[in-house]
Amino acid sequence: MRLRLLLLAAVCVLVPVATNAADRAPAPRTVEPSPIPAPRAVEPVHVPAPRALVASGLLPIERVIDQFVDAAIAEAGIATAEQADDATVVRRLTLDLVGRIPTTGEVEAYVKSTDPDKRAKLVDRLIASPGFVRHQAALFDVMLNPDGERRGGALRAYLADALKENKPWDRIFREVMLPDESDPKLKGAAEFLRGRLADADKLTADVSVAFFGVNVSCAQCHNHPHVEDWTQDHFYGMKAFLARTFDNGGFLGERGYGTVKYKPTKGPERTAKMMFLTGATIEDANAKEPSAADQKAEKDALDKARTAKAPPPAPKFSARAKLVEVALKGENADFFARSLSNRLWHRFLGTGLVSPLDQMHSENSPSHPELLAWLARDTAVNGYDIKRLVRGIVMSRAYSRSSRFEASEAAPPSKMFAVARLKPMTPLQLATSLKIAATDPATFDKLKPDEFEKRMEQIESSARGLAAQLAQPTDNFQIGVSEALLFSNGDRLMREFLTDAPGTTLGRVKQMKEPKEAVEFLVRTTYGRPATESETTALVTYVEKRKGREPEAYRQVLWALVTAPEFRFSY
């Protein structure tokens, strides 16, 4: 144990992750989420140019992003990081788009290529791969179920099928809110609603957060104390769209009637009108209580469906269908389009244009209002095409800046996007990347493209066991005690990732006679870059001091490399 800790300390010093002081993780602490986040003081950046070109619609997404971001940086008079080197770009893109580190062969091919369009070709290849579908489905699954309850994976399976077909986000929204459970491919979409049926208040809050970027739960007991936008009318107006939904023999049912009443802080009890977040209301002719005959007819229909183990018939007036309709209509759709644009920006750049992601309101302005407005409008006009928006974001210069800030002055705030932000790997990203780092790179080199993709899927599947033991990172990410203990003295890491069997990284190293060749191979395989002179010297010295115990020394070197910050983060 002592040798491991000493070696880890040495490697962490010699192999620092690219970062800056503003983005280093603070000391571990417990963060208690607040149900009413205090308004965040953000001075929006107003960009004087280049509105003419942007408004013309002639520029691709990445050009528009860079026009707005660069103009804001120039207006603020701050320095920026350089563009990241090729090895960093291919690692970042592979992690972000398909959820794993690249193989040594992938890195070398990209770095050596002189093709001026190599980045675009890499992005297109990754987006077209099955790995993109699996990774993005996993991320959207976490977005829709942030509490960590996966409920058997049915929702993720639906999302994977939807992304494979490149379904637009508004269609996914419709299918999640109005799932057709008679279709096996769509049945999993119902899990978002089904998992929240026992608590209509939670259902209301989660729908508002996931699809519209609004935490309206702060207005449940009283009007929002800090934000005039959200009143009890908004919360209970949203609840009125959803409160009629219930479980009927394992299928989602919805009544065609029913009211939501609430007690305001002042005055008599009220009956909520169906109201969207913009204040738009829906008139419901069936808001009154049904007659005894109507109730009996409904009960008979529900009993019949339950006996037949089939979805119950939809009501003549579906409140949920009205929510979908009003949310995607005219100016109301701005919440929907902005939320998707902001979430994908956050996914790839590490922080949102609006942050926190669920605080879209007048007291929390976007850092770049014109950019977010343009992205939302462009996304809506182009049919909520997820792949198109993702491609535009990751092709921008803002995305590919280095996380190293070499200027003498203090690092600029993250909201300026002048320096790349460190992003902790998700559990499955980390576990899959560990598997790849522990595999001899030569095993990938001769595979055909379809064989390569199948091999990556197998590695990802085998990594799920370890991933289940790791915490999902949040914006205030801190490595927890359980992860620290698992990686410092857990037998599983040694048994699954640090063996020297044939086909493994350590198995390949056993065949090398010179320590220098071995340690340089280990660094390149793990980090996708050449070892520095100081790293080589330190690691060779460590191995040479263990004459006759080289296999164990190399195991310790690989262990130290994969548990160091440079491996743990996307930088």
Side-chain angles (χ1 to χ4, degrees):
M1 172 59 70
R2 185 181 179 189
L3 290 177
R4 292 187 192 174
L5 294 176
L6 288 173
L7 181 56
L8 177 59
V11 175
C12 286
V13 170
L14 292 167
V15 193
V17 68
T19 185
N20 59 68
D23 284 331
R24 286 196 189 105
R29 59 187 177 90
T30 301
V31 178
E32 294 295 335
S34 170
I36 306 178
R40 175 174 162 269
V42 175
E43 289 297 326
V45 179
H46 297 285
V47 184
R51 292 197 180 111
L53 271 178
V54 170
S56 71
L58 298 176
L59 297 180
I61 295 174
E62 58 268 29
R63 289 281 303 281
V64 174
I65 289 172
D66 288 326
Q67 293 273 20
F68 277 124
V69 172
D70 290 351
I73 288 171
E75 185 180 40
I78 60 175
T80 67
E82 299 292 331
Q83 288 288 292
D85 59 59
D86 281 348
T88 299
V89 168
V90 67
R91 184 181 191 270
R92 187 183 298 172
L93 283 168
T94 308
L95 275 168
D96 279 347
L97 295 178
V98 297
R100 61 172 175 84
I101 60 170
T103 66
T104 302
E106 288 177 306
V107 175
E108 290 180 349
Y110 187 81
V111 171
K112 291 178 180 178
S113 174
T114 58
D115 186 343
D117 296 324
K118 65 180 182 179
R119 180 170 163 190
K121 290 178 179 178
L122 172 64
V123 168
D124 291 339
R125 176 176 68 81
L126 292 175
I127 288 179
S129 72
F132 176 83
V133 169
R134 293 194 305 273
H135 181 51
Q136 302 307 316
L139 295 178
F140 276 114
D141 186 32
V142 171
M143 185 191 98
L144 295 177
N145 287 312
D147 56 6
E149 296 178 9
R150 302 277 79 84
R151 284 182 273 279
L155 179 59
R156 182 182 294 193
Y158 158 76
L159 290 168
D161 285 339
L163 292 171
K164 184 177 181 180
E165 295 177 26
N166 198 28
K167 287 183 180 179
W169 185 239
D170 61 334
R171 183 175 170 188
I172 292 175
F173 171 56
R174 289 179 185 276
E175 291 178 350
V176 168
M177 296 302 298
L178 304 168
D180 180 1
E181 295 185 274
S182 64
D183 185 337
K185 289 190 68 176
L186 301 180
K187 187 175 176 64
E191 292 305 309
F192 176 82
L193 295 174
R194 179 174 290 111
R196 296 163 169 84
L197 291 181
D199 188 343
D201 290 337
K202 177 175 174 56
L203 175 59
T204 301
D206 287 358
V207 168
S208 300
V209 167
F211 294 106
F212 309 119
V214 172
N215 189 346
V216 76
S217 64
C218 299
Q220 181 176 347
C221 301
H222 46 70
N223 294 346
H224 198 299
H226 303 296
V227 182
E228 293 183 0
D229 303 28
W230 311 133
T231 67
Q232 284 182 288
D233 289 342
H234 290 94
F235 177 85
Y236 289 101
M238 290 292 289
K239 183 176 178 179
F241 286 112
L242 302 163
R244 298 177 181 180
T245 303
F246 65 100
D247 179 83
N248 190 67
F251 293 91
L252 291 177
E254 184 181 7
R255 294 183 173 86
Y257 60 88
T259 59
V260 171
K261 297 181 183 296
Y262 66 98
K263 187 75 169 67
T265 52
K266 294 181 180 180
E269 183 179 69
R270 295 182 186 176
T271 298
K273 288 185 177 181
M274 293 180 188
M275 177 188 287
F276 188 60
L277 299 167
T278 56
T281 58
I282 295 292
E283 293 299 326
D284 176 14
N286 299 323
K288 61 183 180 180
E289 291 300 319
S291 66
D294 290 336
Q295 292 185 49
K296 184 179 184 305
E298 181 195 63
K299 183 178 182 302
D300 290 344
L302 294 176
D303 288 345
K304 183 177 180 181
R306 193 181 298 112
T307 301
K309 297 182 178 179
K316 292 181 180 179
F317 180 92
S318 168
R320 268 190 286 120
K322 286 296 181 181
L323 173 59
V324 173
E325 178 185 320
V326 71
L328 298 177
K329 181 187 298 182
E331 293 182 359
N332 297 335
D334 190 42
F335 274 107
F336 184 76
R338 282 193 302 156
S339 182
L340 174 63
S341 302
N342 192 51
R343 282 187 177 275
L344 290 183
W345 184 275
H346 173 276
R347 182 177 296 179
F348 296 107
L349 279 92
T351 189
L353 293 165
V354 173
S355 182
L357 296 175
D358 63 353
Q359 296 297 313
M360 282 193 171
H361 53 70
S362 60
E363 299 297 323
N364 190 32
S365 300
S367 59
H368 298 64
E370 293 92 342
L371 174 57
L372 181 57
W374 187 92
L375 288 173
R377 183 172 59 252
D378 180 76
T379 297
V381 167
N382 287 281
Y384 298 98
D385 187 332
I386 294 171
K387 288 184 177 180
R388 179 180 178 278
L389 179 55
V390 168
R391 187 186 190 280
I393 292 173
V394 302
M395 282 298 296
S396 68
R397 290 194 309 273
Y399 171 82
S400 57
R401 285 194 170 96
S402 173
S403 58
R404 291 187 182 275
F405 187 69
E406 306 292 353
S408 58
E409 62 263 32
S414 58
K415 70 174 184 177
M416 297 303 299
F417 307 104
V419 183
R421 189 175 175 88
L422 303 184
K423 302 192 294 286
M425 291 191 198
T426 67
L428 192 55
Q429 274 181 317
L430 178 56
T432 303
S433 297
L434 282 167
K435 288 275 188 180
I436 292 171
T439 303
D440 182 355
T443 63
F444 302 118
D445 292 343
K446 296 181 181 180
L447 296 177
K448 297 178 181 178
D450 59 335
E451 294 173 334
F452 180 86
E453 292 296 339
K454 288 179 181 178
R455 177 68 176 132
M456 287 302 164
E457 185 174 5
Q458 291 169 352
I459 290 175
E460 181 182 307
S461 179
S462 68
R464 292 187 182 277
L466 177 66
Q469 299 186 39
L470 305 174
Q472 189 71 34
T474 61
D475 283 345
N476 297 318
F477 174 73
Q478 302 289 336
I479 293 176
V481 173
S482 59
E483 179 178 328
L485 291 174
L486 177 66
F487 280 83
S488 63
N489 56 20
D491 290 340
R492 183 168 190 163
L493 191 67
M494 291 293 174
R495 286 187 282 105
E496 290 191 20
F497 303 97
L498 301 178
T499 68
D500 56 5
T504 65
T505 297
L506 291 174
R508 173 84 170 273
V509 166
K510 278 202 313 184
Q511 304 171 16
M512 299 179 182
K513 296 181 179 180
E514 296 297 326
K516 183 175 185 293
E517 178 189 8
V519 299
E520 289 180 345
F521 172 78
L522 289 172
V523 171
R524 185 180 293 278
T525 301
T526 306
Y527 294 151
R529 60 163 179 79
T532 65
E533 183 178 346
S534 59
E535 289 167 354
T536 300
T537 300
L539 295 175
V540 167
T541 300
Y542 177 84
V543 173
E544 288 179 340
K545 287 182 178 179
R546 284 144 186 86
K547 193 73 174 176
R549 293 180 290 145
E550 286 86 353
E552 180 58 26
Y554 291 135
R555 181 177 289 107
Q556 295 290 329
V557 169
L558 181 56
W559 172 86
L561 293 173
V562 299
T563 54
E566 183 164 349
F567 192 82
R568 184 64 180 82
F569 289 82
S570 174
Y571 50 83

